[in-house]
Amino acid sequence: MGRLRQLSARREGEPALKLLFAGTPAPAVPSLEALLASDHEVVAVLTRPDARSGRGRKVSRSPVAERADAAGIPVLQPRSPREPEFLGQLADLAVDCAPVVAYGALVPQAALDLPRHGWINLHFSLLPAWRGAAPVQHAIMAGDEVTGASTFLLEAGLDTGPVYGTLTEAIGPRDTAGDLLDRLAVSGAGLLVATLDGIAAGALEPRPQPGDGVSLAPKVEAADARVDWALPAHVVDRRIRGVTPAPGAWTTWRGERLRLGPVELVVDGPALEPGEVLVTSGDVVAGTGNGAVRLGQVQPAGKRMLPAADWARGARPAPGERMGDE
């Protein structure tokens, strides 16, 4: 659990806020849960439209929509928050504030201007570090030892608004992006509620972000998750953990895609060429630019994830055979 700072809690008897909550994926659900349990009133939820997902490509609602349905809260799903119909609905709701967690679309100025306290974004980084769609993934890939979450007043610029509060979270040496995001989603929910409490009490003023320390965290695409075995072993390890579970690290094996789970560094391991596979004493190791890594779970195309040793018994790598070769 991280450390909250810059916040003042709402005093007993202070008025609660009438809210529109905006969010879409699972990491936004703890914040919605925390707001539903708070003194604030969530009168509607804004989330992305139902979409096809999974192997069966079935149409499904977002995790936030599912939670709102269970709570009996109206769900708004415009294709774009720029649609006049949505702007009219937002005006009719007359909310005080719109907390937003990973909604997934840009909010236009016309919508930003409607709530009297604006839109308060929970972002999973210590702003101004890692502005953008994938802050957790980039923090791990960069080798950061500490990250956190920030609440800030949403502006038209990319995560540039003034900050209300922050919390810090250590990045463990084996953390994947999924592990870290799970923790931040829970601790960040508390930060978001504390921020809204402080706003309701009139006890918080946001502070402009410093000009130094700005870094960007664009969305990580599947092409970015392909393993470059020529990189140093510690960089390969970080990149794989940073893209796990999504979009998921991958390489090629005999011309087909092979998905990879997290790997471990091998101290004093065998000298191997980048991508070269060696099976020894039940372990499956692969060469990198400056050492070897031990494979964990792998997933051949069209099959389930399985231990690397099980995969190797079927694949039977030949001496000198490499992953990543076309």
Side-chain angles (χ1 to χ4, degrees):
M1 181 72 177
R3 179 171 59 87
L4 303 180
R5 62 175 186 266
Q6 292 182 226
L7 298 180
S8 299
R10 184 169 59 89
R11 295 184 292 275
E12 186 176 357
E14 293 285 355
L17 299 175
K18 184 178 175 183
L19 306 174
L20 168 74
F21 178 79
T24 296
V29 173
S31 286
L32 176 57
E33 295 274 11
L35 291 171
L36 292 174
S38 75
D39 291 333
H40 304 291
E41 181 187 11
V42 181
V43 297
V45 160
L46 171 65
T47 190
R48 299 298 295 154
D50 298 349
R52 295 186 182 278
S53 63
R55 287 190 172 185
R57 305 302 294 165
K58 293 182 179 178
V59 175
S60 58
R61 291 171 76 70
S62 75
V64 165
E66 289 182 345
R67 182 62 188 91
D69 290 343
I73 298 171
V75 175
L76 308 180
Q77 295 178 289
R79 285 174 295 178
S80 166
R82 297 180 181 278
E83 292 179 357
E85 182 180 355
F86 165 70
L87 294 174
Q89 291 172 321
L90 180 58
D92 291 342
L93 288 170
V95 294
D96 300 307
C97 186
V100 51
V101 184
Y103 165 51
L106 294 177
V107 180
Q109 192 64 50
L112 294 177
D113 291 339
L114 285 174
R116 65 188 178 101
H117 290 301
W119 293 59
I120 308 301
N121 192 182
L122 171 65
H123 190 70
F124 298 119
S125 81
L126 293 172
L127 293 172
W130 303 126
R131 292 172 176 169
V136 171
Q137 292 88 336
H138 282 274
I140 289 176
M141 289 191 290
D144 291 357
E145 295 181 349
V146 176
T147 186
S150 305
T151 49
F152 69 98
L153 182 63
L154 202 62
E155 296 179 339
L158 179 64
D159 301 332
T160 56
V163 173
Y164 281 104
T166 62
L167 61 82
T168 57
E169 179 74 39
I171 300 178
R174 302 307 311 152
D175 273 343
T176 65
D179 297 333
L180 186 54
L181 194 53
D182 285 348
R183 297 203 301 274
L184 288 171
V186 173
S187 58
L191 174 66
L192 182 61
V193 172
T195 299
L196 296 175
D197 286 350
I199 291 172
L204 276 182
E205 288 293 333
R207 298 180 180 179
Q209 295 183 31
D212 296 332
V214 175
S215 51
L216 300 179
K219 182 180 179 180
V220 180
E221 304 288 354
D224 304 319
R226 182 174 184 169
V227 175
D228 181 353
W229 296 105
L231 294 172
H234 71 282
V235 178
V236 170
D237 166 51
R238 289 174 187 169
R239 291 193 67 85
I240 291 176
R241 288 188 291 113
V243 299
T244 299
W250 63 278
T251 185
T252 55
W253 175 255
R254 295 173 184 167
E256 294 192 340
R257 184 174 291 208
L258 183 70
R259 186 164 179 161
L260 302 172
V263 299
E264 295 181 6
L265 304 182
V266 179
V267 178
D268 298 327
L272 299 171
E273 293 296 317
E276 183 180 352
V277 177
L278 178 66
V279 181
T280 175
S281 302
D283 285 338
V284 183
V285 297
T288 72
N290 70 347
V293 294
R294 181 181 297 108
L295 303 187
Q297 299 270 314
V298 303
Q299 184 178 20
K303 298 184 178 179
R304 62 179 177 82
M305 203 65 130
L306 74 167
D310 293 348
W311 165 77
R313 275 193 285 275
R316 296 184 178 182
E321 196 169 9
R322 299 185 190 189
M323 293 187 295
D325 285 347
E326 298 296 339

